[in-house]
Amino acid sequence: QKEVEQNSGPLSVPEGAIASLNCTYSDRGSQSFFWYRQYSGKSPELIMFIYSNGDKEDGRFTAQLNKASQYVSLLIRDSQPSDSATYLCAVNIPFTYYGGSQGNLIFGKGTKLSVKP
Amino acid sequence: EPEVTQTPSHQVTQMGQEVILRCVPISNHLYFYWYRQILGQKVEFLVSFYNNEISEKSEIFDDQFSVERPDGSNFTLKIRSTKLEDSAMYFCASRAAGTSIYNEQFFGPGTRLTVL
């Protein structure tokens, strides 16, 4: 069973602080990793994706990937109250495992982030 | 900016009735997906669709479910005989062409299905 694990939170940080969200995955063959933001009652919104070990920065967001540890994280710098949402980690099931799969995403349960003004 | 659209936003139905959920993927995308999210739970994959056929389906996607691309723009999910446990948010997603490693899927706003 391929699993993606996240701490459900809530994670509470003060405005302007760095929020750190973590995710682990079970399938060592996973190739790409995605962070989605989901506001209550809304659909997942893609924030970032990462394929290679190391860091990837986009504005206030930094994704970090460590394939050896099967660990991916998302850092949000200068957190704003509008960042308050549930952050979903998603892992791409590799093409070869399903012999023609077009790649479905396996999601974690999400971490609820609350940024206090 | 192009986006995935879904209709209706909310569907209420009686148990045993058929429902059709509709999606219009982003116009140049070739791969289409349905996911569902039961309230308070994780987003779960249902089915992927490419080149007018199902590529993959999960164990959730049993004989009561079907998908169709009836024309060049719409992508539908049909549930033949709804059960109470089908109550969930159903999301359509699409992605552009290319290897599935770069699997950037964009989600529609969802249809909330309530089965009474």
Side-chain angles (χ1 to χ4, degrees):
Chain A
Q1 182 78 358
K2 295 169 175 53
E3 297 286 344
V4 176
E5 300 289 341
Q6 294 181 258
N7 188 327
S8 62
L11 173 66
S12 184
V13 301
E15 184 175 354
I18 295 176
S20 177
L21 304 160
N22 305 313
C23 171
T24 58
Y25 58 94
S26 64
D27 188 345
R28 199 169 273 281
S30 301
Q31 296 173 315
S32 47
F33 309 87
F34 302 82
W35 283 100
Y36 285 83
R37 177 173 61 199
Q38 187 176 33
Y39 294 110
S40 181
K42 302 296 184 183
S43 64
E45 174 192 5
L46 182 64
I47 299 175
M48 286 196 71
F49 50 88
I50 187 167
Y51 315 114
S52 304
N53 276 328
D55 295 359
K56 180 182 177 184
E57 188 174 316
D58 184 0
R60 295 187 296 114
F61 300 95
T62 299
Q64 299 174 316
L65 175 62
N66 183 327
K67 288 188 177 180
S69 300
Q70 295 176 237
Y71 175 91
V72 58
S73 66
L74 180 70
L75 300 178
I76 306 174
R77 289 181 298 281
D78 188 24
S79 296
Q80 302 297 309
S82 58
D83 294 327
S84 298
T86 297
Y87 288 80
L88 310 179
C89 174
V91 173
N92 184 39
I93 298 300
F95 174 88
T96 54
Y97 277 47
Y98 288 88
S101 166
Q102 300 308 326
N104 71 72
L105 295 177
I106 302 297
F107 282 85
K109 286 188 176 180
T111 298
K112 187 171 184 177
L113 173 66
S114 176
V115 181
K116 306 290 188 188
Chain B
E1 187 173 323
E3 57 184 18
V4 178
T5 60
Q6 291 185 242
T7 54
S9 58
H10 191 189
Q11 174 88 49
V12 181
T13 189
Q14 296 290 325
M15 190 169 57
Q17 295 297 304
E18 174 183 288
V19 295
I20 297 176
L21 311 182
R22 291 183 168 79
C23 167
V24 179
I26 294 172
S27 64
N28 63 343
H29 284 190
L30 298 180
Y31 301 88
F32 314 117
Y33 307 82
W34 283 102
Y35 293 83
R36 79 170 186 191
Q37 186 176 31
I38 296 171
L39 188 64
Q41 298 189 24
K42 66 172 73 173
V43 176
E44 300 174 290
F45 167 74
L46 293 179
V47 66
S48 59
F49 191 87
Y50 170 71
N51 199 26
N52 279 322
E53 61 183 19
I54 290 174
S55 305
E56 188 178 2
K57 56 186 180 180
S58 73
E59 57 193 24
I60 301 170
F61 194 89
D62 62 21
D63 291 345
Q64 294 301 309
F65 291 87
S66 63
V67 289
E68 194 178 32
R69 188 156 162 84
D71 53 42
S73 59
N74 289 283
F75 178 49
T76 62
L77 174 69
K78 181 193 289 186
I79 309 175
R80 289 190 184 83
S81 178
T82 50
K83 308 183 191 71
L84 295 176
E85 54 265 37
D86 293 328
S87 294
M89 195 77 158
Y90 287 80
F91 295 111
C92 173
S94 69
R95 74 170 177 92
T99 174
S100 63
I101 294 175
Y102 306 110
N103 191 9
E104 300 160 48
Q105 296 181 23
F106 296 91
F107 282 69
T111 293
R112 179 167 298 285
L113 176 65
T114 302
V115 182
L116 303 176

